[in-house]
Amino acid sequence: MNDIRPIRATSGTNHEGTSAHNRRVIIDALRLNGALSRADLARATRLTKQTVSNIMEELENDGLVISRETVRRGRGQPSTPYGLVPEGAFAIGLQIDRHITRAIAVDLVGNVLIRKEANLPAGGPATGTPVVLQLVESVRSELKQRTAQAEKRLVGLGVAMPGPFGIEQDTDDNPWMMGPWQRFPLLETLAAGTGLNVTLQNDAAACATAERMVGAAHGLDHAVCLYVGYGIGAGLILGGELYSGARGNAGEIGMALLTAGGRLTQLEHRASLASLYEHLGVDPMAPDIYSLIDKRSAADDPEIVAWIEKAAIDLRWAVHLIETVFDPQTVILCGGAPAALATRLIDAMQPLLPSNADRTDRPLPRLQLGMTDPWAVARGAAVEPIGHAFDPRFSAILKS
Amino acid sequence: MNDIRPIRATSGTNHEGTSAHNRRVIIDALRLNGALSRADLARATRLTKQTVSNIMEELENDGLVISRETVRRGRGQPSTPYGLVPEGAFAIGLQIDRHITRAIAVDLVGNVLIRKEANLPAGGPATGTPVVLQLVESVRSELKQRTAQAEKRLVGLGVAMPGPFGIEQDTDDNPWMMGPWQRFPLLETLAAGTGLNVTLQNDAAACATAERMVGAAHGLDHAVCLYVGYGIGAGLILGGELYSGARGNAGEIGMALLTAGGRLTQLEHRASLASLYEHLGVDPMAPDIYSLIDKRSAADDPEIVAWIEKAAIDLRWAVHLIETVFDPQTVILCGGAPAALATRLIDAMQPLLPSNADRTDRPLPRLQLGMTDPWAVARGAAVEPIGHAFDPRFSAILKS
DNA sequence: CAAATTAGTCAAGACAATTGACTTAAAAGA
DNA sequence: TCTTTTAAGTCAATTGTCTTGACTAATTTG
């Protein structure tokens, strides 16, 4: 009699959804264009002057925007531009990597305020969680000291770590694979340990988040970040939002199979930093490995040059694949590779393979260099809660 | 003085946006769940009973929904389910293929009402456009005859043709490539010739649109349709919407490069129907080619079996790639391949390659069979304007 | 036959965007 | 210099849409 089939539906919306969206739209416009007057905002967002005025007053009271010097732009009353207040919101980002963890505090506009790191003991989450929690706490208390308002303006904790998530067993016996962390209920543990909203993304997604808010993908709706780190991944900005797939594993392009030397292998076995370390015979755990690689790259070390030549072939294929499959406005190379290595890699990848993206009327280059420093992932993690709280999103309109 | 830099911003919304969204949400819920009572709808959409009642009254007046027999479900007043009225809206779909064009009329729930086809003369758009326009006109007038209201309830004309769009020159000299059509201002011409709203998508996207509204992807938010036709493509349902990339070319997976026999080649050179025709030495233009292939497949013709074995290797790789890159809930094989061939292909592709999607807790199979008949693409084209007009979308909320 | 439960309506209220008239301030032109 | 034009921004009333709480209606349970 009682058929309790679940009814599936999209959520409806109401006045608050409308209002929330319009606030987000205005904040987004200020982030994208810098300071704008109320009249400018009204034109850009297609809202009425009056609506914009009301929202701006609210945002000003909330400490999210502030007026600047009036400017005269020809006839008519001078306009009063409003800009985002950096101290209007804060977020903390946490990167969990194989043997190290990094935490960053950022403000509303994405400035990095604090950065701290700690070594992760072997032993996975059991021994690692206390270290991680302490690191976050340390950043949080320093932030509190700096800015009185910071604590109540803290919108969340973003976490980034290598994917893929939720796989049932490691495909690899490498002790530095992240399996134990990936199977651990990290979100719940960190939420309980900090009392903050916690979100999780993989390294490549974190880089894409950072590039979109403060980097080369700023203002782009379709961009893919080719992340070259210990593994390889793609961070996907599709239709203006980060896309992470049904289970958070979209973009794990490093696991894509290619035929090389007559056998099927994974992209990241051939072109990642892991493969470079192996090629060089260095220990991936060495603490100064980043600067070591950077220096040797800058000096055009022959072993590194040889690896670059080889890796460039596979990365060129990866760019072709990304262009073919996603049709983005641009591809951004980013991630944990030292800058000197990354620039050389990009050079070695030229010319790119012919593809649909190869057209003369492009406003943007097919491949460009994004953030490449060891803090890029942590920064992306930090910036995610800011975007989540303040950027226009479909789901932000719907009723909870 | 006048710096006229363009200001970029997302559009704001207002009461009408809210209302439009809620209407769409309700229609979507009815499409997804079948007939529902007002109370059910209120629970499912999180709107209040009253709001739902108001909207339902409107929709009933607009002829989009109608009440069914009341049903008693335990205690309390019996509920009155409402269902979509098929005759509430109509759309026409047009497929333009290499040597044939097909047109279909569908109603609000995606029923196919009329189907007609015509041969396309060689010579591209110059000679083809009149044929196409006449075919559409013929379907339209038959629809008008059948249903008096059809004309004013016609929401648009959806067009599908092989991609990629906007490339500057053919990579291929094949006379059956669609270059001339792809460079022709088709949308504008058809809009002018019919007075309808016209939209364009590629074959794979059209199949995905159809699968989402009336097929295997019904109700799924993350699904990829692996289209195997004359070419190969992927139709992408990402986050509940069709994704087409920055220039409409997302999912052109047939152009992905793979190494086979020691050299880099495109997927669709190895596993498409074009490759089958070549393998069999048959003329792709033969009018009865579809049923020919269907019959020979059903009879397990050794030449076809040989091709299947070979193609399955590459398609298996394609599924792996799709799973790795998009992390969908399921992959759906669909498109112009005859049913007998498609089922054999799916069988030959088992077991699939290990991937992130290969987990025991899957609610859906990794690979399943979708629509495979010569009308699938046209049906997808037809269904697109319906979805565009009635499905919940972010952009439908924003001010025009 | 009364109580409980669920569907659905009515009418008033709340919320947020819109409208049109108004004020303010500057540049351009006579 | 003075008037006109133009643009930014505010005020107050209005409109559109969802929400609230009380109500009616119809059915099952005990």
Side-chain angles (χ1 to χ4, degrees), chain A residues 144-214:
Chain A
K144 221 181 297 188
Q145 279 184 354
R146 273 220 219 176
T147 317
Q149 300 250 299
E151 185 64 16
K152 71 172 160 224
R153 289 178 179 275
L154 200 51
V155 295
L157 172 66
V159 184
M161 61 180 245
F165 304 125
I167 50 170
E168 276 149 356
Q169 53 187 0
D170 294 331
T171 47
D172 219 315
D173 289 343
N174 188 325
W176 287 111
M177 287 313 280
M178 300 288 287
W181 280 101
Q182 285 155 350
R183 284 186 290 271
F184 182 71
L186 186 59
L187 249 61
E188 296 75 6
T189 308
L190 292 177
T194 63
L196 295 171
N197 294 323
V198 187
T199 56
L200 178 64
Q201 49 189 347
N202 66 37
D203 291 339
C207 279
T209 306
E211 293 290 350
R212 169 140 166 94
M213 184 158 325
V214 292

Side-chain angles (χ1 to χ4, degrees), chain B residues 10-359:
Chain B
T10 308
S11 192
T13 187
N14 58 10
H15 301 131
E16 276 124 52
T18 305
S19 176
H21 172 71
N22 288 343
R23 279 177 64 119
R24 285 169 180 265
V25 158
I26 284 180
I27 291 171
D28 189 47
L30 294 179
R31 191 195 304 288
L32 216 50
N33 302 281
L36 292 176
S37 69
R38 297 177 179 205
D40 280 342
L41 282 166
R43 280 185 292 265
T45 62
R46 297 159 171 276
L47 295 166
T48 61
K49 286 186 294 180
Q50 189 55 58
T51 300
V52 170
S53 265
N54 295 340
I55 293 175
M56 291 305 284
E57 201 186 325
E58 252 184 55
L59 292 177
E60 198 168 13
N61 289 337
D62 291 354
L64 294 173
V65 305
I66 194 166
S67 61
R68 306 261 178 88
E69 281 279 280
T70 60
V71 296
R72 287 180 291 206
R73 277 193 300 189
R75 272 189 193 184
Q77 176 171 333
S79 62
T80 312
Y82 286 76
L84 291 178
V85 176
E87 301 77 26
F90 300 92
I92 297 178
L94 176 69
Q95 176 189 18
I96 297 178
D97 207 343
R98 287 160 185 82
H99 55 286
I100 200 168
T101 176
R102 300 186 179 93
I104 274 190
V106 297
D107 62 23
L108 178 58
V109 301
N111 293 323
V112 175
L113 306 174
I114 305 167
R115 51 177 67 172
K116 286 177 184 286
E117 62 182 16
N119 289 319
L120 272 182
T127 55
T129 305
V131 176
V132 157
L133 275 172
Q134 203 197 326
L135 186 69
V136 170
E137 206 41 63
S138 151
V139 166
R140 192 177 184 177
S141 68
E142 189 171 327
L143 182 65
K144 226 181 293 189
Q145 280 184 353
R146 274 221 220 177
T147 317
Q149 300 250 299
E151 185 64 17
K152 71 171 161 224
R153 288 177 180 276
L154 200 51
V155 296
L157 172 66
V159 183
M161 60 179 245
F165 305 126
I167 50 170
E168 277 149 358
Q169 53 187 359
D170 294 332
T171 48
D172 219 316
D173 289 343
N174 188 326
W176 286 112
M177 286 312 280
M178 299 288 285
W181 281 101
Q182 285 156 348
R183 282 185 290 272
F184 182 70
L186 187 59
L187 249 61
E188 295 76 6
T189 309
L190 292 176
T194 62
L196 295 170
N197 294 323
V198 187
T199 55
L200 177 65
Q201 49 190 348
N202 66 36
D203 292 341
C207 278
T209 307
E211 294 290 351
R212 168 140 166 97
M213 184 158 324
V214 293
H218 190 60
L220 298 186
D221 283 340
H222 309 275
V224 176
C225 294
L226 176 54
Y227 171 86
V228 179
Y230 193 87
I232 288 185
L236 313 175
I237 305 293
L238 308 183
E241 291 185 35
L242 185 84
Y243 184 72
S244 28
R247 318 265 321 209
N249 290 330
E252 285 286 0
I253 196 180
M255 307 178 86
L257 297 168
L258 69 165
T259 308
R263 61 192 191 84
L264 222 51
T265 182
Q266 292 185 353
L267 171 62
E268 68 188 1
H269 286 169
R270 296 183 52 85
S272 64
L273 292 191
S275 81
L276 173 61
Y277 300 152
E278 198 184 354
H279 176 85
L280 297 176
V282 302
D283 179 3
M285 293 172 58
D288 53 350
I289 192 158
Y290 181 87
S291 58
L292 175 79
I293 298 290
D294 200 28
K295 269 181 215 143
R296 285 179 68 175
S297 301
D300 291 319
D301 175 303
E303 273 192 306
I304 293 207
V305 169
W307 178 84
I308 286 177
E309 289 303 323
K310 194 171 64 79
I313 295 171
D314 296 312
L315 291 177
R316 205 180 289 136
W317 176 78
V319 170
H320 178 274
L321 183 66
I322 287 169
E323 289 177 336
T324 302
V325 159
F326 294 107
D327 187 22
Q329 291 164 286
T330 190
V331 177
I332 300 166
L333 184 75
C334 58
L341 180 64
T343 52
R344 278 161 182 75
L345 257 181
I346 285 194
D347 287 346
M349 288 165 71
Q350 308 298 335
L352 295 171
L353 294 168
S355 84
N356 286 339
D358 187 9
R359 40 206 301 162

